[in-house]
Amino acid sequence: MQQIVHDPDRMRALVVEARAAGRRVGFVPTMGALHAGHVSLVTRAARDCDDVAVSIFVNPTQFGPQEDFARYPRTLAADTAQLAPHGVKWIYAPEVSAVYLPGDATRIVVGGPAVRFEGERRPGHFDGVATVVCKLFQAVPADAAYFGAKDWQQTLVVRRMVYDLGLPIEIVVCPTVREADGLAMSSRNAYLSAADRPRAAAISESLRQAEQLWAAGAAAAAIEETMRKTMEAHGIVVDYAALADPESLEPLTADASRAVALVAGRLGSTRLIDNRELRGRGTSEPRSTPDQGLAR
Ligand code: PAF
């Protein structure tokens, strides 16, 4: 039986009590509008842990002034129903005023992997993510937290913050879940019009091409050009289509054997991101993995 908890202190007490009783607690932070990608994180957490907490909180500080905070789907009843068969013990759904207290004036500022790509296009976004994730970890002091590789840069930012602040929580990154045509599952896919939905598959197709070209030894610039052209041919307005170091997100060195291909683009008013880790340089055997470094 899952319990909905709104109060951060109550939430913390429940997790502390469970851990004191020797139970391993897993935590899946979300903004709700749950889909199969979230369910896969919950399933993994339930496999690894005795108790699972899922947070549902649309975090205002990670949205820019022109972004979709107001229209972001808020579907708590449907989310609760969707989680019911998956062994979730607690759904933590705080009010904004319980997370950001009156007079709130404190942010975590992240550098390093937060600087490029989404960090450039969405100023302040990762400071908002890091701040809320840190606050969520205070309320849900779990053994491990589960994030999707779909938000590759976010996973690096969270790992960096956890490492730098010495937060006592393990970060587990799980594979991206995709629709049948390859589109990465995202709550924002619901915004796509019927005409744009099939075009969105060009995003993952561009990444598949990147993987093949990387394995064949193609130059990074040529791979980036191919990704961009594939997306543009399907009407996607490309924000970026780039290869980078998979851990630092710095530009690749000439002899790099691993990379991550990162893409962001718009279809109508919907902005989508996706990525693929590239290994097996020059082996003609492309291989992807969601695992990332920065172990403590
Ligand atoms: O990935 C998300 O859903 C959000 O960025 C997160 C990690 C829940 C923080 O609000």
Side-chain angles (χ1 to χ4, degrees):
M1 181 67 184
Q2 55 195 22
Q3 182 183 357
I4 301 183
V5 182
H6 300 288
D7 179 62
D9 295 336
R10 172 82 184 128
M11 184 70 251
R12 186 175 171 84
L14 288 165
V15 174
V16 167
E17 188 185 8
R19 290 187 66 188
R23 299 180 71 79
R24 180 173 170 83
V25 175
F27 175 39
V28 181
T30 83
M31 296 206 299
L34 302 181
H35 50 67
H38 296 112
V39 171
S40 76
L41 302 179
V42 170
T43 304
R44 171 72 190 274
R47 196 186 80 195
D48 294 354
C49 302
D50 300 304
D51 295 326
V52 176
V54 174
S55 64
I56 296 181
F57 179 67
V58 184
N59 172 37
T61 66
Q62 67 188 79
F63 291 80
Q66 309 303 325
E67 294 184 356
D68 56 341
F69 175 67
R71 74 164 174 150
Y72 199 87
R74 287 154 172 89
T75 55
L76 184 59
D79 292 342
T80 305
Q82 192 173 171
L83 291 174
H86 297 287
V88 171
K89 188 158 186 181
W90 304 292
I91 295 174
Y92 175 49
E95 295 294 331
V96 172
S97 57
V99 176
Y100 295 100
L101 301 178
D104 158 69
T106 304
R107 291 290 173 271
I108 293 177
V109 177
V110 207
V115 173
R116 302 181 70 208
F117 305 112
E118 293 303 290
E120 268 167 15
R121 272 84 183 173
R122 305 181 66 189
H125 168 67
F126 285 126
D127 295 346
V129 169
T131 300
V132 81
V133 168
C134 190
K135 286 171 176 278
L136 292 170
F137 287 173
Q138 291 292 319
V140 188
D143 293 275
Y146 296 78
F147 292 84
K150 144 91 172 39
D151 295 303
W152 185 275
Q153 190 170 10
Q154 172 172 277
T155 68
L156 295 175
V157 168
V158 169
R159 281 178 182 266
R160 185 77 251 174
M161 174 193 69
V162 164
Y163 185 82
D164 287 346
L165 299 184
L167 303 182
I169 192 162
E170 180 191 345
I171 302 301
V172 181
V173 178
C174 303
T176 302
V177 178
R178 296 180 181 279
E179 304 279 2
D181 66 357
L183 177 65
M185 297 255 181
S186 164
S187 304
R188 291 190 168 100
N189 293 352
Y191 300 154
L192 289 166
S193 69
D196 283 341
R197 171 60 190 84
R199 294 184 190 123
I203 295 174
S204 59
E205 171 59 17
S206 76
L207 293 167
R208 199 188 57 76
Q209 292 171 336
E211 188 172 43
Q212 285 184 339
L213 290 166
W214 178 261
I223 298 173
E224 292 171 348
E225 178 70 5
T226 300
M227 290 194 293
R228 179 174 288 275
K229 282 189 171 151
T230 296
M231 289 190 281
E232 285 176 350
H234 289 81
I236 296 169
V237 179
V238 177
D239 263 5
Y240 55 80
L243 266 51
D245 179 274
E247 269 133 43
S248 67
L249 296 192
E250 291 293 329
L252 286 182
T253 55
D255 60 347
S257 61
R258 289 176 59 216
V260 61
L262 299 156
V263 294
R266 286 169 207 276
L267 274 165
S269 61
T270 308
R271 185 172 185 278
L272 299 173
I273 62 171
D274 201 353
N275 67 78
R276 188 174 287 250
E277 191 177 8
L278 308 177
R279 293 174 178 242
R281 181 70 159 157
T283 63
S284 300
E285 283 177 17
R287 200 167 69 83
S288 299
T289 164
D291 298 332
Q292 299 171 42
L294 204 64
R296 277 186 72 78

